[in-house]
Structure formats: structure tokens, C-alpha cells
Amino acid sequence: MRRKVYRRRSAFTLIEVLLVAGILAVLAAFIVPNLFGQATKAKIDIAKAAVLRNGSIAKGLESYKWDMGRYPDTGEGLAALFQPKEKKRDDERYNGPYMDGAFEQLKDPWSKPYEYRSPGEINESFYDLWSLGPDSKDDGGKEGSDDVKNWVEK
């Protein structure tokens, strides 16, 4: 009498591996684009939170203006918000720094510096503050621009 020898299966078959890979590819095709879209939207929201009139940079600029009677001009730039009081001995009104951290750390979510102009060309009574957005290019206010600005296009 012959005995049947059963061998244990120790690996997946090629069909099983291809089936799992196909299922993962289909899931990735639906999920990955949504994740990237949400990440870009979140970064735009972070940039807006910094540049709009009640944002973190705007609050630093307002504190500077409160003490100095003006916003830092374009030449001083946003770096003026980070200077320790000792560096501004010539002006007793300066009570900075007006923002925490180092100026070099003040970057938009795409690791580019924020753009600043004072007096502003758009906001003539105060300043223009913007980020070049995900493409890091100045879109010049064109329709569909991805730039994040503290002004509304007319």
C-alpha cells in the first residue's frame, strides 16, 4: 500500500502575488491623488494663516508698527522683526524681537522665503506680504494664480 505524501506549501504562487499587487495598485490609484491634493491644500492654508491680516507674520508687523510708528521698509524686510533690542540702540522705541525663532527659519510651507514690500504697491497704506506658492514662481496676479497674498485681486 502506498502512502500519500503531503507536502506543505511554503510560498505564494505567482497568481496570488499578482492578484495582491493588482489590488494594491487599484487602491493606490484612488487614494494617492487625494492625499497629495490634501497636502497641497493644507500647505496653502498654512501660508494664508501667516500672511493674512490676522496671521502670525502680520501680528509681528503690527507690533513693530505699534512701537516704531511704521512698518519695516522693504530694505529692512521681515528680518527687522527678529532683531534683538540691543541691535536697535539708536531707536529707543524698538522693543523687539517681535517674532520667535530666527529669521532664517521664516519660510513658507515650500521652504521659500516670504516676499515683503513696504510701502505696498497693492496695499499702499500698509504692506504687501505674499508667498509664491507651490510652483515658487511669481504669477503676477494672473487668473488661477497659486500665489498666497495678503490682498484681493481686483
Side-chain angles (χ1 to χ4, degrees), residues 33 41 48 92 98 102:
K41 183 183 178 311
K48 283 181 183 177
E92 292 296 319
Y98 297 98

Side-chain angles (χ1 to χ4, degrees), residues 65 71 119-120 122-127:
K65 183 184 181 200
Y71 295 109
I122 311 295
N123 300 312
E124 295 172 357
S125 61
F126 54 107
Y127 58 87

Side-chain angles (χ1 to χ4, degrees), residues 43 104-114 131 133-134 136:
K43 286 182 177 184
E104 294 76 26
Q105 296 171 333
L106 183 63
K107 303 231 186 272
D108 68 13
W110 302 277
S111 299
K112 303 290 185 225
Y114 285 97
S131 164
S136 300

